[in-house]
Amino acid sequence: MIVMKFGGTSVQDAKAIDRVAQIVQGRLADRPVVVVSAMAKVTDSLLAMGKAAGSGDRKTALKMARTLRERHYETAGELLGTALFTEFHGDLGADFEDLDELLRGIGAVGEITPRTYDYVASFGEVLSSKIVSAAFVARGLPGAHVDSRQCLLTDSSYTRAVPQFDETNERLRKKVKPLVDSGKVPVMGGFIGANRAGITTTIGRGGSDFSAAIFGAGLNAERIEIWTDVDGMMTTDPRLCADTRRIKVISFDEAAELAYFGAKVLHPATVLPAVQQNIPVYVLNSMNPTCEGTKITARAPRCSNIFKAIALKKKITLVEVASPRRLLVHGYLKSIFEAFDQHGVAVDVVSTSEVSVSVTAETNEAIPALAADLAKIADVKYEGRKAIVCLVGENLRETPGIAAKVFGILENVKIRMISQGASEINLTFVIEEDDASEVVRRLHHAFFAEADPEVFA
Ligand code: ASP
Ligand code: MG
């Protein structure tokens, strides 16, 4: 048994869904369970509808719902042909009636709660999974739609609900496994679940990968395939370097590190349920299905290169908090980080000396107010237009002299902060944003000109 997850762009229209059907057809012998995201951009527009209705603008909300309805009808019509579509139309129509009803209700109250947001957002995956399942059947594939809300049990922390694994696994074994055993291809929406009372929840934006991992772990899948629109993980952003390579195999830890740095390919949380069970995760390209993609495994294979990849995060602000007398005072660091927390500013890299704390955060409009607050307890400076460069590789653990090598290559570059991550598999530093592209190119050239053919394509 395998789990195949298709993201929003992989199911964005009839043509894309048709490709999905072909890909799944080619994997029938592996007994797939299919997990889908909402069609591209649908979750965003559902949330926008909820917001419009919540601010009392029912008309705009219902107008957006109509556009959404037309897009889904059109896609289903194209995929199913007239006869089948007529049959299926009522089912979709009922969902859209529910959505309209819901938006009217929200509009009447003029308020939207997290619980209601989740219900609104859930329509994306409910609809896409029904359409994909029907499209399978129309193509002679034994698709069987399963409402994920009957399998994925969560707590009630709406918008980022926490899966309850034991019961979810039991439900998967009861509801999904028999379908697979009888030769069916279950098709399930990612992202959505329900609490014990049966009220719809979602497990956080981008959560379909997580759903796929939960289902894969619960069903003890041989592997999980995350189908997306890129060839896999790359040694660095191909827009920065002409000679980037595909990473054929990477460890879970390395992949998680990269995901954090915005390698958008994979949601880091995906990693957890699968890693615990040693289930390999593949990142594959639905536009280029013969490409072998990237395999993510619990342990990294031997690699003659020190690094697996270089990640770059731009639009960083560096905040420097200095106080010659107070750093060692009890509670001082706590009050600094509390200020970040209160202003909702997420911290990236931190380094401290005896007199100062340097912190980076994604540049955002909360920083001036944060700095003003911090200025009450210390001297504060902040500077935008910085970038974080992060080199990732398990070999960092054992190889001495790596920092010297890296910074030797960057001799004339102004380095603002250095941190060797607690995970011991990343070397991270902060530079001027204007230097970023050149720095990445130089490092890539130095560390990947010769690439281990077992690990890099
Ligand atoms: N559709 C959801 C979102 O856009 C979940 C996902 O695509 O993974 O956040
Ligand atoms: Mg999505």
Side-chain angles (χ1 to χ4, degrees), residues 5 7-8 37-39 41-44 121 125 190-191 204-209:
K5 180 260 171 177
S37 286
M39 294 168 73
K41 306 257 156 60
V42 166
T43 310
D44 287 336
E125 271 72 8
F191 180 54
R205 291 305 308 270
S208 292
D209 292 346

